[in-house]
Amino acid sequence: MTPSARDGLRIVHAHGDRVTIADAGTGVELLSYVYRAEAAWEAPKPYLHPLRTPAGAVVTDYRPNDHRWHKGLQMTASHLSGQNLWGGNTYVHGRGYLALPERVGSMAHAGFDEVGSDGHRAVIAERLTWHPHDGDLWAEEERRVEVHDLDPGSGSWALTWTTAVTNRRNEPLRFGSPTTAGREMAGYTGLFWRGPRAFRNGRIVGPDGEGPGLMGRRAPWLAYSGEHDGADGHATLVFAHAPENDHAGESGGHPAHWFVRNEPFAAVAPSLAFFDELELAPGDTLTRRYRVVVADGAWEREEIAKYLEEHPW
């Protein structure tokens, strides 16, 4: 294990397994980025878990009994040109969810370009390859996960996740979701967060609305607050699109819609393809950038708006 420690953020890399980023002052491990391959049925891919608030409360779930392939915060592709890089059963219109292991693919770690911290910002820059079940190379991804703005005063820290996926096939890659496949209001795909079981029935807030009715809506940000088991108090996660996301990459732009649930479990995804498929031409690159703010306490709309205004992209 190779440690790197300065004031603020500290990184420990357990090679072949995970990268952990901690608050050097308190010792709280804010996140672990796990990149070792796991069960084939769960569409192996790197993920962040556990994700913790500055006070140390866990705000992600891992392999819950209802969906074993839900792992913290991870990049997914539920429907990709007929393949499933999400995990588990595959939705087929008119037949529901079916066990189709021949459709379950993977996102494989290929190497790191940077793992380090200057104390104020910690960076994980990774190269990945995307594969269908038969192992062919369908895409290459450059991913950058940055932890920054650790603020003991507000009890918060921020994560910026940037992904650039390049199509390496000789035909278009079609990004879809269960909704593009025929299931109403189930547009999950892309960056996906699964909250802990205690966050069921949590509060969902957007800039212009509140509650589960924000499913399928467009907005620059969305927040989810839940109350912990075990420890007193609440936590809030704020998910935000970078301004360029609706028009990013060589794909010509694509509307961004929110997938969000607080029943029967807590989940948020800024969907890549909620209502309509996104087609990526051979050789083209799809780029998206997201921010996730992890905070102690139940933040109100005004607090969230003020924070985002004071921490511009």
Side-chain angles (χ1 to χ4, degrees):
M1 302 175 73
T2 304
S4 173
R6 296 185 183 183
D7 291 340
L9 295 168
R10 180 183 72 236
I11 283 186
V12 176
H13 188 180
H15 291 273
D17 182 22
R18 69 186 62 209
V19 177
T20 300
I21 300 175
D23 179 342
T26 64
V28 171
E29 294 182 352
L30 302 175
L31 63 82
S32 286
Y33 185 83
V34 183
Y35 62 93
R36 69 170 187 270
E38 297 190 353
W41 174 243
E42 296 165 10
K45 64 182 77 67
Y47 59 87
L48 289 173
H49 175 80
L51 215 61
R52 293 186 175 92
T53 70
V58 175
V59 292
T60 48
D61 207 351
Y62 172 74
R63 297 192 75 244
N65 59 24
D66 49 59
H67 295 80
R68 294 296 190 196
W69 46 94
H70 287 186
K71 298 176 181 180
L73 180 70
Q74 58 181 342
M75 180 59 66
T76 71
S78 61
H79 288 65
L80 184 70
S81 295
Q83 288 284 299
N84 169 0
L85 276 65
W86 164 265
N89 294 341
T90 300
Y91 180 77
V92 178
H93 188 53
R95 302 176 65 192
Y97 285 91
L98 304 177
L100 300 171
E102 69 277 9
R103 295 193 187 185
V104 180
S106 63
M107 299 179 188
H109 169 77
F112 289 116
D113 292 324
E114 181 181 359
V115 176
S117 172
D118 65 4
H120 301 289
R121 180 176 292 257
V123 175
I124 303 169
E126 183 186 26
R127 287 170 281 110
L128 303 98
T129 53
W130 292 26
H131 307 273
H133 181 74
D134 65 11
D136 285 351
L137 176 63
W138 274 16
E140 293 179 320
E141 180 190 356
E142 293 185 0
R143 179 179 298 178
R144 188 175 180 88
V145 177
E146 302 174 72
V147 174
H148 52 93
D149 291 311
L150 174 61
D151 183 355
S154 66
S156 66
W157 60 275
L159 166 81
T160 297
W161 183 303
T162 306
T163 179
V165 181
T166 301
N167 181 5
R168 296 306 186 198
R169 301 183 79 194
N170 293 322
E171 57 186 281
L173 272 177
R174 301 187 314 278
F175 291 79
S177 66
T179 294
T180 68
R183 183 185 173 199
E184 291 187 2
M185 301 306 284
Y188 53 82
T189 193
L191 189 65
F192 182 85
W193 167 76
R194 170 69 188 253
R197 199 169 295 276
F199 278 27
R200 181 178 176 179
N201 295 318
R203 184 185 182 196
I204 302 164
V205 176
D208 300 308
E210 186 170 331
L214 296 179
M215 172 75 87
R217 300 271 294 277
R218 297 181 66 187
W221 60 265
L222 185 147
Y224 194 109
S225 296
E227 185 173 8
H228 305 299
D229 280 341
D232 293 336
H234 295 71
T236 300
L237 288 91
V238 182
F239 303 85
H241 284 287
E244 72 272 14
N245 277 3
D246 276 358
H247 306 284
E250 299 174 14
S251 62
H254 195 77
H257 299 83
W258 290 102
F259 174 89
V260 59
R261 282 182 177 160
N262 64 358
E263 176 67 36
F265 52 78
V268 175
S271 179
L272 289 170
F274 197 109
F275 294 108
D276 301 294
E277 285 190 339
L278 186 160
E279 186 173 291
L280 186 66
D284 279 3
T285 299
L286 174 69
T287 302
R288 292 290 185 270
R289 191 162 56 120
Y290 307 100
R291 184 158 296 164
V292 182
V293 182
V294 181
D296 287 298
W299 283 16
E300 298 296 331
R301 180 180 289 111
E302 294 75 15
E303 293 177 81
I304 298 166
K306 181 180 179 182
Y307 179 95
L308 294 175
E309 182 180 352
E310 292 176 348
H311 298 79
W313 288 91

